């Protein structure tokens, strides 16, 4: 189709959707500045930290806190568009990529709406706060053909926690079969992980006056109404179930997503989650001692919390060998043997190249949904105070109505996903 005919066809759809510039230009299109453009929703901390990723130009920012928005504008410069309503940023035709850096209770709605508007999406972790919202995001991205990136990168780059190597070398060892099968992965302080137990809530919060600069009703959005207290918002929101799941929500996908990749579980989920934790407050997130996930083939992921686990634990343990912190293995001559095996398949790790070529990013709406589901399975078990069984195909808990009600949680009107 000629470009003129293409544009004419899309003109008739203008009332239905926003068509980003890189779609109109076709595969390989580059903005006049040779940079893709981005808009960031949420510039209180994490959002401002991503102003400068290479190959993009920041054209719009959004925040419900006027102080954050002004600080973000000053950092970005006078030419950046500023919005207090995320829907205006999504509708901005100058924005190619929507970067979502809000608290997680907004991730699902914003990702689905950005997908429907034809935008590509860079979303902070966790992907969503519930399993149901994650399913909706996956479906929306697949339906609209967007490029989606979840912002946890340890499955493909950077030195992995406690291992003194990138994940690809661990993947090669697992794929070689030298450790045997099934495998148990232990995530604890002793294997290089810290769950940030300071992300806990306060059970009795005094109601306080909402500061003039904050649109608190919009900050809450789909979350149930709770009287304002500064501990609910901004830097400490993770301590409340309505918005996140404490250290598990904050760090869980960072730690667990690479394990999912290592075990080759990108298209499935565990069949059970067992917990050892104090009774949780209905509003404020507390701590936990141990969470253990099991797959249908016997592989396990063990998360040690405040009890820390055993200092002698291996990171990965199989029937034939163990891999310890700092990439130490107890199999004789393992490095020489490993050299004989092929390297893992390369991954698409350049997000901007994926946007231009329309190839899926390494951590996308499909495998990202599965690792987010592992985190959210644990959150549901903690909130209910009991272990659960799960059906990875139906994406439902087995014989537990209360657990299934937490898969798709009600949203405060008028918000829906």
């Amino acid at each position: 189709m000629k470009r003129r005919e293409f544009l004419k066809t899309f003109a008739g759809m203008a009332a239905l959707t926003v068509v980003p510039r890189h779609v109109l230009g076709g595969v390989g299109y580059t903005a006049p500045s040779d940079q893709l453009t981005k808009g960031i929703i949420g510039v209180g901390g994490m959002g401002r930290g991503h102003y400068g990723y290479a190959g993009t130009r920041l054209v719009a920012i959004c925040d419900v806190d006027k102080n954050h928005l002004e600080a973000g504008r000053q950092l970005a410069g006078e030419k950046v568009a500023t919005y207090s309503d995320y829907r205006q940023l999504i509708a901005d035709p100058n924005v190619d990529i929507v970067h979502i850096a809000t608290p997680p209770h907004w991730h699902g709605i914003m990702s689905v709406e950005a997908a429907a508007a034809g935008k590509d999406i860079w979303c902070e972790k966790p992907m969503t706060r519930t399993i149901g919202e994650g399913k909706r995001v996956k479906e929306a991205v697949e339906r609209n053909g967007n490029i989606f990136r979840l912002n946890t990168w340890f499955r493909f780059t950077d030195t992995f926690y406690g291992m003194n190597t990138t994940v690809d070398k661990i993947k090669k060892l697992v794929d070689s079969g030298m450790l045997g099968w099934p495998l148990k992965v232990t995530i604890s302080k002793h294997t290089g992980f810290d769950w940030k137990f300071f992300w806990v809530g306060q059970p009795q919060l005094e109601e306080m006056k909402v500061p003039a600069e904050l649109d608190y009703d919009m900050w809450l959005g789909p979350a149930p109404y709770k009287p304002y207290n500064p501990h609910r918002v901004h830097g400490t929101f993770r301590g409340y179930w309505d918005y996140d799941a404490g250290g598990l929500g904050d760090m869980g996908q960072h730690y667990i997503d690479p394990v999912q990749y290592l075990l080759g579980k990108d298209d499935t989920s565990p069949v059970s989650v067992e917990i050892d934790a104090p009774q949780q407050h209905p509003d404020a997130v507390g701590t936990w001692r141990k969470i253990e996930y099991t797959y249908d083939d016997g592989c396990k992921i063990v998360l040690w919390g405040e009890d820390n686990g055993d200092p002698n634990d291996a990171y990965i343990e199989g029937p034939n060998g163990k891999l310890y912190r700092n990439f130490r293995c107890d199999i004789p001559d393992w490095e020489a043997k490993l050299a004989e095996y092929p390297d893992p398949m390369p991954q698409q790790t350049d997000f901007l190249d994926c946007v231009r070529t329309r190839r899926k990013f390494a951590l996308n709406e499909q495998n990202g949904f599965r690792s987010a589901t592992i985190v959210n399975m644990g959150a549901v078990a903690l909130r209910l105070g009991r272990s659960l069984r799960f059906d990875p195909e139906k994406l439902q808990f087995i014989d537990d109505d209360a657990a299934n009600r937490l898969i798709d949680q009600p949203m405060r009107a008028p918000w829906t996903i």
Side-chain angles (χ1 to χ4, degrees):
M1 184 182 294
K2 294 180 180 179
R3 178 176 173 83
R4 181 178 299 173
E5 295 170 336
F6 186 77
L7 291 172
K8 183 178 180 180
T9 299
F10 269 98
M13 300 170 61
L16 301 177
T17 186
V18 176
V19 184
R21 296 172 302 111
H22 66 269
V23 173
L24 289 175
V27 174
Y29 172 77
T30 308
S33 63
D34 199 34
Q35 290 181 316
L36 291 163
T37 61
K38 67 181 178 223
I40 300 177
I41 308 173
V43 290
M46 183 64 69
R48 288 206 300 270
H50 286 88
Y51 269 25
Y53 52 87
T56 63
R57 181 165 52 92
L58 181 65
V59 296
I61 58 175
C62 175
D63 205 286
V64 296
D65 187 309
K66 293 177 182 177
N67 290 349
H68 289 178
L69 193 61
E70 176 58 21
R73 186 197 63 77
Q74 290 183 15
L75 181 64
E78 295 290 340
K79 292 184 179 180
V80 69
T82 58
Y83 301 109
S84 58
D85 188 322
Y86 75 93
R87 292 167 292 192
Q88 295 173 308
L89 183 143
I90 288 175
D92 188 333
N94 295 311
V95 173
D96 295 326
I97 299 164
V98 173
H99 188 138
I100 301 169
T102 64
H105 69 289
W106 271 112
H107 288 184
I109 288 177
M110 290 178 178
S111 292
V112 168
E113 294 191 15
K119 308 293 183 172
D120 295 318
I121 303 157
W122 180 316
C123 184
E124 294 298 323
K125 49 73 189 167
M127 178 174 163
T128 55
R129 193 185 64 88
T130 71
I131 294 171
E133 290 174 17
K135 184 172 181 287
R136 303 297 182 275
V137 171
K138 182 174 79 72
E139 291 169 345
V141 171
E142 291 171 352
R143 182 170 59 250
N144 291 284
N146 318 85
I147 301 300
F148 182 94
R149 169 181 178 155
L150 183 64
N151 196 29
T152 174
W153 52 90
F154 291 105
R155 74 160 53 207
F156 50 80
T157 187
D158 283 9
T159 299
F160 192 48
Y161 295 96
M163 295 306 293
N164 198 31
T165 185
T166 49
V167 168
D168 58 336
K169 293 181 175 60
I170 309 173
K171 176 69 170 171
K172 183 174 181 177
L173 177 62
V174 170
D175 287 351
S176 74
M178 291 169 57
L179 298 174
W181 201 266
L183 298 176
K184 181 177 78 171
V185 180
T186 299
I187 297 174
S188 75
K189 176 180 178 181
H190 304 297
T191 57
F193 304 85
D194 178 1
W195 282 104
K196 292 188 177 179
F197 276 105
F198 55 84
W199 288 131
V200 296
Q202 298 176 5
Q204 301 297 328
L205 289 177
E206 176 187 359
E207 182 174 357
M208 300 179 70
K209 183 179 179 181
V210 179
E213 68 272 9
L214 176 64
D215 184 344
Y216 181 57
D217 186 71
M218 191 67 169
W219 189 94
L220 286 173
Y225 177 80
K226 300 285 175 63
Y228 172 79
N229 183 286
H231 204 260
R232 284 196 177 278
V233 302
H234 299 339
T236 47
F237 67 83
R238 295 191 189 277
Y240 299 91
W241 294 114
D242 290 341
Y243 325 122
D244 203 355
L248 178 63
D250 182 33
M251 299 304 292
Q253 221 162 352
H254 272 327
Y255 294 170
I256 292 172
D257 180 76
V259 177
Q260 176 180 270
Y261 166 65
L262 293 172
L263 297 178
K265 304 295 188 183
D266 274 340
D267 59 354
T268 190
S269 300
V271 296
S272 69
V273 53
E274 300 176 58
I275 63 160
D276 177 9
Q279 181 63 49
Q280 299 290 303
H281 187 273
D283 181 33
V285 181
T287 61
W288 43 270
R289 291 178 286 269
K290 182 182 179 183
I291 305 174
E292 182 173 308
Y293 301 92
T294 303
Y295 291 90
D296 62 0
D297 63 357
C299 286
K300 293 181 179 292
I301 304 175
V302 180
L303 314 179
W304 282 103
E306 59 186 354
D307 282 358
N308 291 327
D310 187 333
N312 298 313
D313 277 338
Y315 175 56
I316 304 179
E317 178 178 351
N320 300 334
K322 299 179 180 181
L323 178 68
Y324 292 90
R325 186 171 180 167
N326 291 320
F327 203 51
R328 296 179 295 108
C329 186
D330 65 356
I331 298 174
D333 301 320
W334 69 280
E335 289 179 293
K337 295 175 182 177
L338 188 62
E340 300 176 2
Y341 289 91
D343 292 332
M345 291 291 291
Q347 302 182 77
Q348 299 291 343
T349 61
D350 185 330
F351 176 65
L352 301 184
D353 183 64
C354 290
V355 169
R356 291 188 173 101
T357 62
R358 314 314 291 168
R359 293 180 294 178
K360 276 193 179 297
F361 185 69
L363 181 51
N364 51 59
E365 73 284 355
Q366 296 175 347
N367 50 20
F369 166 63
R370 287 293 181 174
S371 54
T373 294
I374 301 175
V375 173
N376 288 323
M377 286 174 64
V380 170
L382 286 174
R383 292 184 72 173
L384 295 176
R386 58 177 175 267
S387 299
L388 302 167
R389 294 179 299 139
F390 190 72
D391 185 327
E393 298 299 321
K394 295 181 179 178
L395 296 171
Q396 293 179 342
F397 294 100
I398 299 171
D399 298 328
D400 198 314
D401 291 340
N404 284 325
R405 283 195 292 271
L406 293 175
I407 289 177
D408 284 297
Q409 297 172 32
M411 291 186 173
R412 192 170 64 108
W415 302 104
T416 60
I417 182 170

